[in-house]
Amino acid sequence: DVQLQASGGGLVQAGGSLRLSCAVSGVTFDAYAIAWFRQAPGKEREGVSCISNSDGSTYHTDSVKGRFTISSDNAKKTVYLQMNNLRPEDTAVYFCAAARGRYCTVVGGTARLSVIGYWGQGTLVTVSS
């Protein structure tokens, strides 16, 4: 079975940092693209960052560039999202998703997967002002 296990969310003050992890099992990890999405209360789910494990290419949504960094550890089959200088508007449930192949894309300044193969469960990030 394919599983994506997201973790690392929590409560942090504005300006603080968190690191989210997405542990992936049941797939050939380095053949997949992995992305982080988020959904704030009352809003649609949006792409945040994406990494193509086949070549290491990374993509970030304009609103998080310079603050968030996506990375991948192939040995641990885990993708990380390092989030620095967090803002209250970053408050959301964060999800990781996977697709086999090079499906990272940027549309209208938003980085996401153009095809979703698998979703993980969410992890809540709350940023207080």
Side-chain angles (χ1 to χ4, degrees):
D1 290 352
V2 178
Q3 291 191 345
L4 284 74
Q5 184 72 35
S7 61
L11 173 64
V12 64
Q13 288 188 331
S17 298
L18 282 173
R19 189 177 78 160
L20 305 183
S21 299
C22 177
V24 183
S25 60
V27 301
T28 305
F29 186 74
D30 58 4
Y32 274 69
I34 309 292
W36 287 97
F37 291 76
R38 67 186 179 186
Q39 188 165 17
K43 295 188 177 181
E44 293 186 354
R45 191 172 298 187
E46 64 173 357
V48 177
S49 302
C50 192
I51 186 166
S52 176
N53 283 330
S54 60
D55 62 6
S57 300
T58 61
Y59 307 82
H60 295 279
T61 292
D62 287 350
S63 62
V64 307
K65 280 182 180 177
R67 300 188 299 123
F68 291 11
T69 301
I70 190 169
S71 62
S72 182
D73 186 329
N74 282 10
K76 295 183 178 180
K77 295 188 177 182
T78 300
V79 169
Y80 303 100
L81 185 68
Q82 178 66 45
M83 306 186 296
N84 298 328
N85 193 21
L86 282 160
R87 304 167 179 169
E89 54 264 37
D90 295 319
T91 294
V93 178
Y94 284 70
F95 302 85
C96 54
R100 184 180 179 91
R102 299 181 180 180
Y103 286 112
C104 288
T105 186
V106 178
V107 178
T110 299
R112 59 183 180 86
L113 285 169
S114 57
V115 173
I116 306 291
Y118 307 96
W119 284 103
Q121 92 295 354
T123 185
L124 176 63
V125 172
T126 304
V127 184
S128 63
S129 57

